[in-house]
Amino acid sequence: MVERLDVEFKSEGDTCRAWLYKADGGGRRPTVVLAGGWCYVREIVMPTYAEAFAKAGINALIFDYRNLGVSDGDNRQHLDPWAQIRDYQNAISFLERHEAVDPDRIGVWGISYSGGHALVLAATDPRVKTIVSQIPVIDGYENMRRAHGTMEFRRLWAMILDDRRLRYEQPGERLYMPHATENAEAEVSSWPFPETVRTFLAIKAKEAPLYQNKSTVESVDLLMNYDVGPFVKRIYNTPTLMIVAEGDDLTLWDLEIGAFNAIPSVRKKLHVIAHTSHMTLYSDKSKVEKAAALATEWFVETL
């Protein structure tokens, strides 16, 4: 059995709570930091990866961002991508000081929204020695425009503007919207895919009771200005594995492959998992284990 420790660290005054999976062997070990995507808590899919890394001799730290899960933060269910990236950086600062961690061998893993964060971190934090970016969000505006379609995108914009007005008129008040919904025509959500709500509610029932199917509307407002394009051009020397689901039309595999091709480094690898989808990388155990094996192999090689 892999040893799992409860740990915590400060991020801009708030406490982020985490699990540290310790690799066998003692001493200072290479370590990978993991955090989730839209509304995720640490129980969602990430333990499979952390256990695989630890069994291969690599520590793994899974944490909840501020405002989510067991971590502190008064603005609950608010997803600020740049604050989440700072949470990653503060997790790295915590690990640098930990007795079980080799501070010169720290990697980052991300999935979906955090798959984009991993690319930003590879470009902006020299302490990150290698990354795995899995089914990443690349361009929030383009993603929302294509995911919602013309009429629903108009409704999404109307809700964002209503929220901006409310926050101006009544400071401290805000609107919320579902992460996903069964009926996009009846209810505006962040990610309007029935398979998303079904998958995450099933995970909530079995493994992740603290998951909530909602975020602030401002979270989507911030997503619309999120674009990793300017950052991937700065990944010159950080080994980068991108794992893409064939035909992924949630985070858009054409954008993902375009971002991969824009990375100037030769220390990169693209793996397209055939006959899969974005959501089966959560719901299909065999697909999750395949992706975990790919990530483990990469980290063993590069850390």
Side-chain angles (χ1 to χ4, degrees):
M1 294 292 292
V2 172
E3 183 181 9
R4 191 185 78 183
L5 305 177
D6 290 312
V7 297
E8 59 185 43
F9 60 91
K10 290 291 186 182
S11 189
E12 299 184 324
D14 288 322
T15 298
C16 288
R17 296 182 175 85
W19 287 324
L20 177 62
Y21 292 72
K22 289 187 66 178
D24 290 335
R28 292 184 174 270
R29 307 295 302 174
T31 304
V32 172
V33 186
L34 306 88
W38 198 265
C39 294
Y40 293 18
V41 291
R42 60 187 177 175
E43 293 86 356
I44 293 176
V45 89
M46 290 179 282
T48 298
Y49 293 85
E51 289 174 7
F53 301 161
K55 289 176 181 177
I58 300 170
N59 298 328
L61 181 84
I62 307 175
F63 72 91
D64 279 342
Y65 301 115
R66 287 172 284 170
N67 302 313
L68 292 171
V70 293
S71 290
D72 291 347
D74 295 332
N75 199 0
R76 305 307 293 178
Q77 298 302 121
H78 181 60
L79 316 176
D80 180 335
W82 305 108
Q84 292 181 349
I85 289 167
R86 290 193 295 274
D87 290 346
Y88 262 107
Q89 291 172 329
N90 287 319
I92 293 168
S93 295
F94 162 74
L95 289 171
E96 285 183 308
R97 295 156 175 78
H98 197 284
E99 62 182 9
V101 176
D102 181 344
D104 295 320
R105 291 190 292 168
I106 293 176
V108 161
W109 175 97
I111 187 169
S112 200
Y113 210 3
S114 65
H117 300 353
L119 293 166
V120 174
L121 286 159
T124 60
D125 197 324
R127 298 174 298 175
V128 176
K129 303 306 181 187
T130 181
I131 71 161
V132 171
S133 173
Q134 188 165 309
I135 49 175
V137 172
I138 300 299
D139 179 337
Y141 180 84
E142 180 69 7
N143 211 151
M144 289 292 96
R145 187 181 65 82
R146 284 169 55 177
H148 286 268
T150 298
M151 297 309 296
E152 189 177 314
F153 192 57
R154 292 178 185 176
R155 294 165 58 208
L156 179 67
W157 259 119
M159 183 174 284
I160 289 171
L161 296 179
D162 285 345
D163 180 67
R164 289 181 184 177
R165 296 183 184 105
L166 175 65
R167 288 186 285 113
Y168 173 77
E169 294 164 358
Q170 301 180 49
E173 296 295 318
R174 54 177 61 248
L175 298 177
Y176 292 83
M177 66 195 310
H179 173 183
T181 182
E182 284 277 2
N183 187 347
E185 292 184 3
E187 184 177 31
V188 179
S189 64
S190 304
W191 298 89
F193 305 104
E195 64 266 36
T196 297
V197 68
R198 293 170 196 157
T199 298
F200 279 97
L201 290 181
I203 292 172
K204 176 182 175 69
K206 293 180 180 178
E207 301 166 1
L210 293 181
Y211 165 76
Q212 295 185 50
N213 181 38
K214 72 173 185 178
S215 73
T216 63
V217 171
E218 188 186 6
S219 298
V220 180
D221 198 350
L222 294 169
L223 170 63
M224 298 269 266
N225 293 315
Y226 179 84
D227 184 355
V228 306
F231 295 95
V232 296
K233 297 174 184 178
R234 293 160 53 179
I235 304 175
Y236 293 104
N237 201 40
T238 305
T240 298
L241 170 64
M242 186 180 290
I243 299 173
V244 172
E246 181 184 30
D248 185 352
D249 56 1
L250 273 70
T251 52
L252 308 176
W253 75 319
D254 58 310
L255 296 186
E256 293 165 350
I257 293 171
F260 176 83
N261 289 335
I263 297 172
S265 174
V266 296
R267 305 178 71 189
K268 64 180 181 177
K269 183 177 180 180
L270 174 68
H271 189 100
V272 179
I273 301 180
H275 311 298
T276 187
S277 68
H278 191 98
M279 294 315 303
T280 53
L281 285 171
Y282 301 92
S283 61
D284 185 327
K285 184 179 179 181
S286 67
K287 301 289 188 184
V288 175
E289 290 177 347
K290 178 177 178 61
L294 291 167
T296 301
E297 181 181 359
W298 182 257
F299 284 129
V300 168
E301 176 186 341
T302 58
L303 277 179

